[in-house]
Amino acid sequence: MRILFLPTCVAALRGFMNTPEGQIHYRVWGDMLENATALVMFHGNPRSTAEFERFAPLLCHNHPVVSFDFYGQGNSDDCRSCGDNGTVALDVFAGYVGHELGLLGVRRFVPVGQASGTGVAVALAVQNPRSVSHLVLGNPIWYFPEVEKHVATYMAMTQHPALVANGSHVLEAWTNFNMNGHVPAGTDEPSMELTESKTLDRLRAFWTQHWYMRAYLQHNARMLDSLRQVEVPVLVLYASEFFAVYDAAGMNATQQRPVLLDAISHKVETVIPDSFEGFFWANASYVAPMVSRFLGDSQFI
């Protein structure tokens, strides 16, 4: 299914792309003008395109924004062939996205990845060097080999949620998302809608979340080599609380930071104050001008 009408910056229109593993849902903000450079955005795990609902309208007058839901998240199908232990390589998923962008008429674009979504963003940039002008990585993740084992063990322990007859597991998942920094605790309607979508993603066909983590772990060994192949300018955004939280979880974020940054030739690094994972949502008005200036726009200068 293709988008039938030109979208606006007020509300995104939706489309679906067919893949052998199921349909992938995406949203488009802004008009796909012939010479426009689009932002192609990938959310973290487990999340959805809803994460960019505050950020995209701030930039889509200059740059149409396209964001894709991963398998089993948002409005995308579950991965048909993945099962409990299968996966779809990030390079393959990036190939699907690149093909769909061509069908949409997108010729120039900037991949934007948040957290684990940075893996697909980097793969898309490597596969399309003539089409990519810049790359934006939010809280990029690369694991040391010993951390890979830690993450794999965690995945095995949490593969299926404990469902409770009275539905209290839904409230628990909701509370976890508002307490662990993935989204800001808030009672305004947009924040509550985002929390709801994340809760549903977390509870729905729970192993599909691990499709992406399995894919990311497979890609992890190639992540640094892939970054070395990127020749365009790279904006690296880190949340102020990222390192303390990930270090406490055994992810060694402070140690991996210089290793990852050393693999990027042309980079601008900055830290988003008072933020954790969801800064494209919670800090959209702060991040959007930063991205705009990086792209050379005059809108926020």
Side-chain angles (χ1 to χ4, degrees):
M1 183 187 301
R2 307 286 171 233
I3 292 178
L4 300 179
F5 306 99
L6 283 176
T8 69
C9 281
V10 177
L13 291 187
R14 302 168 184 269
F16 290 86
M17 69 174 179
N18 293 316
T19 77
E21 293 78 24
Q23 284 195 327
I24 292 295
H25 166 259
Y26 58 86
R27 303 191 197 192
V28 179
W29 291 263
D31 296 338
M32 289 297 181
L33 302 177
E34 183 177 355
N35 296 322
T37 299
L39 302 181
V40 183
M41 305 191 72
F42 302 99
H43 60 82
N45 178 62
R47 304 180 200 171
S48 72
T49 57
E51 184 152 14
F52 306 119
E53 285 182 344
R54 286 182 172 176
F55 175 85
L58 298 177
L59 292 185
C60 63
H61 291 287
N62 287 341
H63 302 279
V65 178
V66 190
S67 180
F68 294 82
D69 284 331
F70 294 129
Y71 293 112
Q73 298 176 39
N75 290 303
S76 291
D77 287 346
D78 296 340
C79 179
R80 293 173 185 153
S81 60
C82 287
D84 281 348
N85 297 303
T87 190
V88 176
L90 299 192
D91 307 75
V92 174
F93 190 89
Y96 295 157
V97 170
H99 178 71
E100 189 71 12
L101 293 175
L103 295 177
L104 290 173
V106 178
R107 299 291 177 260
R108 295 280 290 174
F109 54 88
V110 176
V112 181
Q114 168 72 351
S116 52
T118 56
V120 175
V122 172
L124 185 65
V126 171
Q127 291 176 9
N128 300 275
R130 295 184 179 181
S131 298
V132 172
S133 61
H134 300 74
L135 175 63
V136 179
L137 304 177
N139 288 342
I141 296 174
W142 172 76
Y143 298 119
F144 289 108
E146 63 271 19
V147 177
E148 284 189 38
K149 298 176 182 178
H150 171 79
V151 174
T153 301
Y154 171 78
M155 286 166 50
M157 293 171 57
T158 62
Q159 189 160 356
H160 297 283
L163 305 181
V164 183
N166 65 6
S168 59
H169 59 284
V170 179
L171 180 59
E172 181 180 357
W174 176 291
T175 302
N176 285 342
F177 270 115
N178 264 318
M179 293 297 290
N180 66 8
H182 282 93
V183 295
T187 57
D188 60 291
E189 187 172 345
S191 290
M192 292 178 68
E193 288 178 352
L194 182 63
T195 301
E196 180 183 54
S197 70
K198 290 176 180 292
T199 301
L200 294 175
D201 284 335
R202 190 181 190 95
L203 295 173
R204 167 187 169 219
F206 196 74
W207 56 261
T208 62
Q209 297 175 27
H210 296 294
W211 157 77
Y212 193 81
M213 289 311 300
R214 286 192 296 270
Y216 202 92
L217 287 175
Q218 289 182 3
H219 183 78
N220 187 64
R222 304 191 303 276
M223 182 67 165
L224 298 183
D225 287 338
S226 296
L227 284 171
R228 294 186 183 103
Q229 296 177 51
V230 175
E231 298 182 354
V232 299
V234 181
L235 175 62
V236 183
L237 303 172
Y238 279 115
S240 58
E241 304 302 318
F242 174 79
F243 300 100
V245 173
Y246 271 66
D247 285 349
M251 303 300 183
N252 295 355
T254 300
Q255 295 180 39
Q256 60 96 341
R257 178 183 187 177
V259 179
L260 186 145
L261 291 175
D262 188 59
I264 305 173
S265 299
H266 311 288
K267 59 183 175 289
V268 177
E269 182 197 9
T270 191
V271 175
I272 311 301
D274 302 319
S275 63
F276 179 49
E277 282 282 16
F279 53 67
F280 282 105
W281 170 268
N283 308 79
S285 60
Y286 185 93
V287 177
M290 190 175 300
V291 173
S292 182
R293 287 190 290 268
F294 174 68
L295 299 178
D297 299 336
S298 59
Q299 179 181 2
F300 290 102
I301 295 177

